[in-house]
Amino acid sequence: GDSVTQMEGPVTLSEEAFLTINCTYTATGYPSLFWYVQYPGEGLQLLLKATKADDKGSNKGFEATYRKETTSFHLEKGSVQVSDSAVYFCALSHGSSNTGKLIFGQGTTLQVKP
Amino acid sequence: EPEVTQTPSHQVTQMGQEVILRCVPISNHLYFYWYRQILGQKVEFLVSFYNNEISEKSEIFDDQFSVERPDGSNFTLKIRSTKLEDSAMYFCASSPLGGRSHEQYFGPGTRLTVT
């Protein structure tokens, strides 16, 4: 079945460091891909998405490119801030699901130190 | 900005008891969802709801679970007879449209502890 795999956390970085969180997926057909972020005490919020191959999603300095050839959707940011500390979830939504149910990775905790 | 709300934030119950988790989706949304996350595990889809009926459910969503939209604003998840393994964070979400490309808006979650 469909699945999403993320790199294990926690990831600990210093402020202004470069961030990469790896995400790969397994799915038939052409899923949409998402990154959600969860700040402490809050619900999951959409960070960015891409709905077809080679699309690049971007928001708040984060970006990810839908790579069909490597079935990947890695999250990157050039310079992280302490306020980026959160749990990041990669997810897919399969085209065969009319309701758009999301299949999540296990989440990666990012800690940014000043 | 509209948001999804969930109550309670934490529910403690004894094994075998019934619990009802409540959600208020964003008012003009049409699709509603429940997900859960057992500690240390992935967020898992439970059920989706559209037009007053279940549109999709996972294998986890067995006869012990039910959902309802009783009054046009609340969306509830009922677990009839809780088990220890039902202990998890339960997230409600809503979306203006279904389909694979539309954003889902999540509530902050209800932490359910079954003792």
Side-chain angles (χ1 to χ4, degrees), chain A residues 63-103:
Chain A
E63 59 182 36
T65 301
Y66 188 141
R67 301 283 190 203
K68 192 171 189 303
E69 63 276 12
T70 54
T71 62
S72 65
F73 192 55
H74 303 322
L75 182 68
E76 296 182 336
K77 187 176 185 184
S79 175
V80 293
Q81 305 301 312
V82 172
S83 57
D84 294 326
S85 298
V87 183
Y88 292 81
F89 294 90
C90 185
L92 70 81
S93 180
H94 200 278
S96 64
S97 170
N98 291 332
T99 62
K101 73 177 183 184
L102 292 168
I103 296 171

Side-chain angles (χ1 to χ4, degrees), chain A residues 100-111:
Chain A
K101 73 177 183 184
L102 292 168
I103 296 171
F104 285 90
Q106 64 267 45
T108 302
T109 300
L110 171 66
Q111 299 172 338

Side-chain angles (χ1 to χ4, degrees), chain A residues 14 20 23 34-35 41 58 76 95 99 106 111-112:
Chain A
S14 298
T20 300
C23 171
F34 303 83
W35 278 101
S58 61
E76 296 182 336
T99 62
Q106 64 267 45
Q111 299 172 338
V112 181

Side-chain angles (χ1 to χ4, degrees), chain B residues 3 6 8 12 14 18 24 33 37 44 46 62 73 86 88 95 97 103 111:
Chain B
E3 59 182 17
Q6 290 185 243
V12 181
Q14 290 190 327
E18 174 184 287
V24 179
Y33 309 83
Q37 184 179 29
E44 303 171 288
L46 292 177
D62 61 21
S73 62
D86 293 328
S95 179
L97 295 168
E103 176 179 0
R111 181 166 297 284

